[in-house]
Amino acid sequence: MKLRTFITAIAMMCALTVSAAGKKKTPAPQPVFNRAPLVETPYAQLPIGEIKPEGWLGEQMQIMLNGMTGDLDQLYELVCGDNNAWLGGEGDAWERGPYWIDGALPMAYIMGDEALKAKSLKWVEAILASQKESGSFGPDTDRPYMYGMQRGNALDWWPRMVALKILQQYYMATADERVVEFMTNYFHYQLKELPKTPLGNWTFWATERAGDNLLIVHWLYNITGDEKLLQLGEILHQQSADWTGRFTTNDHLFRQNSIHCVNLGQGFKEPVIWWQQSKEDKFLNAPQEALRRIRQTIGFPTGLWAGDELIHFGDPTRGSELCTATEMMYSLEEMYRITGDNTYADLLERITYNALPTQITDKGDARQYYQQINQVEVTRKPRNFSTPHNSTDILFGVLSGYPCCTCNLHQGWPKFVQNLWLKSAEGGVAAMVYAPSTLSTTVNDVAVVINEQTCYPFEEQVAFSFSFPDKKQKSAAFPFDLRVPAWSKGYTLTVNGAEVKAESPRKGTIRLNREWADGDQVVITFNAEVAISRWYDYSAVVERGPLVYALRMEERWMRHECNEDDARWLGPYYYEVTSPTPWNVALRDKDLHGEAVAQNFIVEKGECSNTPWTLNGAPIKIKAKANMLPNWHMHRNSAGPINYLTQQEPAGEVGAEVDITLIPYGCTTLRMTEFPVR
């Protein structure tokens, strides 16, 4: 992939043009908490830009910025270039262009990248300028089909939900009051139009994803107090797919091919969002029942599920779509903010630190449409997926599989950074999930900087340093919340080197409420142990802390430059990956019980570099013994079907004992993760 082209002068001119477009000076953005009659929430998001990634996370964001995120308008010009209908052109009129900006805008503001900021603001200004007197906005003209573009259903409610997310984030970075007026006009339009033109009028996507619309309606209500927005909230919930029923009383999660994989990730938050307004416990509890069912049916150890594109029982050679990961991450971020339930933060870390890194190349120049839990080769061959795309589904490419993920992947890392820290209802701050970062915020009108130093999730210790930039103000009293992950067997907490005890405002959350002084240090150390979990057909999975571990396989990458025919639908290039490493191994049953786990799975830690999500950069590994299974072969270009559990072994089934190395799942491209047991 070509290097990013930084044309600084042009980028600054674009930014100056936008800032000079009649905008008056606006106050700084502020956290937005619920106002009555919505339920009180424990946390609110901080303005975009107050949280900066450091260490490996800063490097990961830079890799994405230098890769596809920064230059998608050039790499995928057909859809994300200037001819896009959202920019006033005659090209793509649907979700993909807004998908890109939904990740590119927070990336630009978090990283302070003026070139990407200018690209993002071009879309913001076009969206704002597109609003009609009625309140409607965006593309409104259906055009004949052209290859590679979605130009029909231009009036569909669904892609406007993505545009609303863009504007919300833009407001969180700038407090531009035009967003409030724009959304008010649009939501009044929706209130008038939805009874006669419901969400499902054009496509079913808006019905499935109505929670995204409802979330922004509640956010605007919390800013303006406009009671008409609560009326709109009722209509949106009524017209939404019944996610509460699907999670609790219907058989959707017990039935294969019943739900689209990404719809499940997006719809997952709808019951909790609606609970804020309805206050009925059945909506609050529905996602917990869904997680219980998913664990027994379609679930994967990465925190996701088999969905390629329809959901399927959790065979580890079924696919999992990249859009599912990024959308489920977004749902969990919002659900934790609303409920303070650490189940959602734990699951967010599991998905982010396992599924997300492996589905994007180390250079950020290509992505994989589906990933497999047991993925032993990445080749252009047919596999058992419910929605195959000419055998390109697991290639690493720009457009391989289906192009939606090319545009939607970009929200993953930036929104994760954006949700590392939250403002608490008690006036303090909370460390929601852990990663190296710096928070620069204001608490009780005092400027505070908290630096989080850690190699988490590869290590279990997280250190926080407090400082006060104002020379006249070197202390402040406020509560500081920390999350204790469910996997940790207790923890140790120190302040300035002395062990302390903390309050516990809710399960899994601890609070230090004190006067903080310049130079104060807080260190929390969790206890991670190797654990064995059981999945499809009672296969065995090795875990430690938030990380799932997989067989380390050597990788042979081959880049293919696409000819004219392929380039049209695959993009300019794609990668295949193969390995000489034998994958057909089984864990030994005698190693998987009680004290034998710690004795036979030996943890080895190395240096934590700024590029840990790579085969050779993995800073932690686990050594173990296994047995070869010589009769286990490939089938349909994946690891073949096998009894992961057997009570009696056929003669000659188990081969030689071998030493194996396991590394974090997110560091792998090829792997075995769910193992047979012999």
Side-chain angles (χ1 to χ4, degrees):
M1 180 179 182
K2 60 181 179 296
L3 296 174
R4 277 201 76 203
T5 304
F6 286 98
I7 309 176
T8 306
I10 293 176
M12 291 183 68
M13 286 173 61
C14 291
L16 287 171
T17 301
V18 170
S19 64
K23 291 194 299 180
K24 60 183 180 181
K25 187 176 180 180
T26 55
Q30 298 296 320
V32 177
F33 287 93
N34 277 359
R35 68 162 74 202
L38 299 181
V39 298
E40 293 183 11
T41 52
Y43 300 118
Q45 288 182 320
L46 292 156
I48 294 178
E50 289 194 354
I51 305 166
K52 297 294 185 184
E54 306 286 353
W56 71 256
L57 184 55
E59 182 65 20
Q60 183 64 45
M61 289 280 281
Q62 192 65 50
I63 288 169
M64 298 303 300
L65 179 60
N66 293 345
M68 297 174 71
T69 303
D71 281 327
L72 201 64
D73 55 335
Q74 299 170 46
L75 192 59
Y76 192 20
E77 184 179 8
L78 177 69
V79 165
C80 295
D82 288 342
N83 193 41
N84 190 286
W86 285 92
L87 297 176
E90 297 184 352
D92 200 276
W94 220 49
E95 65 183 5
R96 293 182 205 167
Y99 265 160
W100 171 44
I101 303 302
D102 188 34
L105 188 144
M107 170 72 81
Y109 278 94
I110 290 169
M111 300 297 285
D113 187 87
E114 294 301 326
L116 186 57
K117 193 180 294 184
K119 292 180 182 184
S120 301
L121 291 178
K122 181 169 65 174
W123 286 74
V124 169
E125 293 298 327
I127 292 169
L128 290 173
S130 73
Q131 190 161 55
K132 302 168 184 63
E133 188 175 344
S134 66
S136 180
F137 73 94
D140 60 3
T141 303
D142 287 350
R143 293 183 170 90
Y145 173 76
M146 291 183 65
Y147 184 85
M149 290 188 282
Q150 295 170 302
R151 304 205 307 167
N153 296 315
L155 288 169
D156 191 6
W157 299 106
W158 153 239
R160 284 158 178 78
M161 298 179 194
V162 185
L164 291 171
K165 290 166 64 184
I166 294 170
L167 293 182
Q168 181 203 32
Q169 292 172 98
Y170 172 63
Y171 184 89
M172 290 170 63
T174 66
D176 189 334
E177 285 296 324
R178 294 180 298 163
V179 171
V180 173
E181 181 181 0
F182 178 97
M183 287 189 179
T184 298
N185 293 337
Y186 177 64
F187 290 146
H188 286 185
Y189 167 78
Q190 278 198 308
L191 183 61
K192 177 182 175 182
E193 290 296 319
L194 281 175
K196 55 187 178 183
T197 312
L199 291 176
N201 184 70
W202 286 281
T203 71
F204 79 109
W205 300 103
T207 302
E208 297 287 305
R209 300 171 177 184
D212 287 51
N213 202 148
L214 180 59
L215 188 152
I216 306 297
V217 168
H218 282 169
W219 176 80
L220 185 65
Y221 169 76
N222 290 327
I223 294 174
T224 67
D226 181 356
E227 293 185 358
K228 288 184 178 180
L229 299 177
L230 298 182
Q231 298 175 36
L232 175 59
E234 291 181 3
I235 294 172
L236 288 168
H237 174 68
Q238 290 165 4
Q239 294 189 9
S240 169
D242 181 14
W243 288 104
T244 300
R246 291 177 178 181
F247 292 167
T248 58
T249 59
N250 301 339
D251 67 351
H252 285 69
L253 297 178
F254 298 127
R255 178 161 48 87
Q256 300 192 107
N257 306 319
S258 61
I259 304 176
H260 183 273
C261 58
V262 183
N263 285 344
L264 178 54
Q266 287 192 254
F268 205 83
K269 61 184 172 292
E270 197 278 340
V272 166
I273 295 169
W274 174 241
W275 166 75
Q276 297 174 99
Q277 187 169 343
S278 72
K279 302 180 182 177
E280 295 182 58
D281 285 348
K282 68 177 182 179
F283 298 111
L284 176 64
N285 298 331
Q288 295 288 350
E289 174 61 16
L291 291 178
R292 188 190 70 80
R293 295 184 179 197
I294 287 170
R295 180 63 177 85
Q296 302 301 323
T297 54
I298 63 174
F300 280 157
T302 55
L304 295 174
W305 45 82
D308 52 29
E309 294 172 358
L310 302 178
I311 63 169
H312 194 279
F313 296 153
D315 181 335
T317 61
R318 299 298 297 226
S320 179
E321 188 180 331
L322 177 53
C323 283
T324 305
T326 56
E327 290 294 352
M328 187 60 172
M329 286 170 60
Y330 176 64
S331 288
L332 293 167
E333 287 155 359
E334 295 294 342
M335 293 167 73
Y336 179 80
R337 172 187 62 81
I338 293 168
T339 66
D341 188 331
N342 286 306
T343 301
Y344 303 130
D346 286 345
L347 186 55
L348 172 63
E349 283 192 350
R350 180 172 280 255
I351 293 169
T352 306
Y353 290 149
N354 293 286
L356 184 63
T358 187
Q359 215 155 352
I360 303 168
T361 59
D362 296 344
K363 296 185 293 183
D365 67 338
R367 92 294 177 271
Q368 190 181 37
Y369 188 58
Y370 300 144
Q371 64 175 283
Q372 295 173 299
I373 300 297
N374 288 354
Q375 182 168 280
V376 297
E377 68 172 50
V378 171
T379 50
R380 193 172 177 178
K381 299 175 183 177
R383 290 172 177 83
N384 291 337
F385 300 141
S386 62
T387 311
H389 299 87
N390 296 305
S391 304
T392 68
D393 302 281
I394 69 170
L395 300 178
F396 283 88
V398 178
L399 304 178
S400 52
Y402 192 72
C404 60
C405 292
T406 300
C407 301
N408 198 17
L409 70 89
H410 308 280
Q411 69 170 318
W413 286 115
K415 290 184 182 177
F416 182 72
V417 171
Q418 185 182 326
N419 286 279
L420 291 173
W421 295 85
L422 296 172
K423 187 70 176 286
S424 66
E426 293 77 15
V429 294
M432 171 188 176
V433 291
Y434 297 110
S437 60
T438 297
L439 170 66
S440 301
T441 191
T442 301
V443 180
N444 301 327
D445 296 323
V446 177
V448 181
V449 175
I450 307 176
N451 179 243
E452 180 178 354
Q453 297 174 313
T454 185
C455 194
Y456 191 97
F458 306 101
E459 69 178 21
E460 298 76 59
Q461 188 172 93
V462 187
F464 303 91
S465 301
F466 292 72
S467 61
F468 296 83
D470 188 343
K471 293 181 180 179
K472 297 179 181 179
Q473 181 75 50
K474 290 299 182 182
S475 67
F478 59 88
F480 178 38
D481 289 6
L482 295 163
R483 178 181 125 261
V484 178
W487 51 259
S488 182
K489 309 298 184 184
Y491 64 92
T492 303
L493 181 66
T494 64
V495 176
N496 299 329
E499 191 166 343
V500 298
K501 292 188 177 181
E503 306 171 33
S504 182
R506 67 183 67 85
K507 183 180 179 181
T509 300
I510 58 174
R511 174 173 295 162
L512 292 169
N513 203 342
R514 55 177 279 148
E515 178 93 14
W516 299 99
D518 195 70
D520 276 350
Q521 301 274 337
V522 173
V523 178
I524 188 165
T525 306
F526 304 115
N527 297 313
E529 300 176 356
V530 177
I532 306 298
S533 58
R534 298 290 188 155
W535 294 84
Y536 182 78
D537 193 33
Y538 214 55
S539 58
V541 171
V542 179
E543 305 180 18
R544 186 179 183 274
L547 298 178
V548 172
Y549 285 76
L551 178 69
R552 187 188 189 282
M553 298 176 63
E554 293 297 328
E555 298 170 3
R556 294 175 176 172
W557 286 72
M558 180 177 293
R559 176 174 167 132
H560 298 265
E561 304 296 330
C562 293
N563 59 31
E564 247 181 65
D565 289 340
D566 272 356
R568 211 169 158 224
W569 57 287
L570 286 178
Y573 53 82
Y574 66 85
Y575 297 97
E576 292 186 306
V577 192
T578 57
S579 177
T581 305
W583 55 265
N584 49 333
V585 298
L587 297 183
R588 307 185 306 180
D589 181 70
K590 64 181 181 179
D591 297 341
L592 307 183
H593 307 281
E595 295 179 358
V597 175
Q599 295 169 359
N600 292 286
F601 291 86
I602 309 303
V603 177
E604 296 182 1
K605 293 186 176 182
E607 291 295 319
C608 187
S609 73
N610 277 350
T611 54
W613 300 110
T614 61
L615 184 69
N616 295 319
I620 187 170
K621 56 189 175 184
I622 298 175
K623 295 294 188 69
K625 299 284 188 182
N627 283 103
M628 297 300 302
L629 297 181
N631 296 323
W632 189 15
H633 304 294
M634 300 277 285
H635 174 73
R636 291 272 291 170
N637 305 300
S638 296
I642 192 172
N643 290 337
Y644 288 89
L645 169 72
T646 63
Q647 291 185 308
Q648 293 181 334
E649 278 310 324
E653 170 75 4
V654 176
E657 182 181 282
V658 293
D659 294 318
I660 60 170
T661 299
L662 307 175
I663 61 174
Y665 180 100
C667 304
T668 67
T669 299
L670 303 180
R671 56 187 166 259
M672 286 296 300
T673 313
E674 297 189 27
F675 290 92
V677 176
R678 298 292 185 264

